[in-house]
């Protein structure tokens, strides 16, 4: 979010797949930690990526390398970030 313009801006741009929107390419589901510390991006099948968000000395947000949270043989139906106070961020996904 850009304060002076009131619009959203690109913080990080990553290609997850070259062939567009498919069921194994993350981007179908996006969940955020309620405190804004991490983001989970998931595909319909198998792949999930967790990005940890931090701020540098100047106060600009930075994104760490993605952590993989893959689980084979599962179809994701929903994903959500869980509020757990000041502990590490936790995400839950409804899978079949």
């Amino acid at each position: 979010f850009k304060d002076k313009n009131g619009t959203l801006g690109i913080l990080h741009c990553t290609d997850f797949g070259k062939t567009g929107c498919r069921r194994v390419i993350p981007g179908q589901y996006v969940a955020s930690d309620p405190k804004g510390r991490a983001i989970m991006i998931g595909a319909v099948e198998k792949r999930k990526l967790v990005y940890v968000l931090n701020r540098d000395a100047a106060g600009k947000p930075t994104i760490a390398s993605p952590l993989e949270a893959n689980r084979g043989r599962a179809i994701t139906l929903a994903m959500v970030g869980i509020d757990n106070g000041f502990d590490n961020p936790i995400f839950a996904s409804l899978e079949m």
Side-chain angles (χ1 to χ4, degrees):
F1 182 75
K2 295 182 180 180
D3 293 328
K4 54 187 168 188
N5 295 337
T7 60
L8 295 175
I10 297 173
L11 180 64
H12 187 73
C13 186
T14 303
D15 293 333
F16 297 119
K18 296 179 181 178
T19 58
C21 185
R22 294 203 176 193
R23 62 185 188 196
V24 294
I25 296 181
Q28 180 70 28
Y29 298 103
V30 178
S32 164
D33 177 44
K35 298 211 184 295
R37 300 173 293 176
I39 295 174
M40 180 179 239
I41 301 172
V44 174
E45 284 186 14
K46 193 176 172 182
R47 284 189 75 194
K48 293 179 187 69
L49 301 172
V50 177
Y51 288 94
V52 178
L53 305 173
N54 293 315
R55 294 201 177 263
D56 60 7
K60 291 185 70 175
T62 60
I63 297 179
S65 297
L67 304 170
E68 292 191 8
N70 299 337
R71 183 169 177 204
R73 297 185 180 173
I75 296 175
T76 304
L77 302 173
M79 193 179 331
V80 67
I82 297 175
D83 188 11
N84 62 341
F86 292 105
D87 291 338
N88 290 332
I90 296 177
F91 295 94
S93 62
L94 183 61
E95 298 176 344
M96 184 170 69

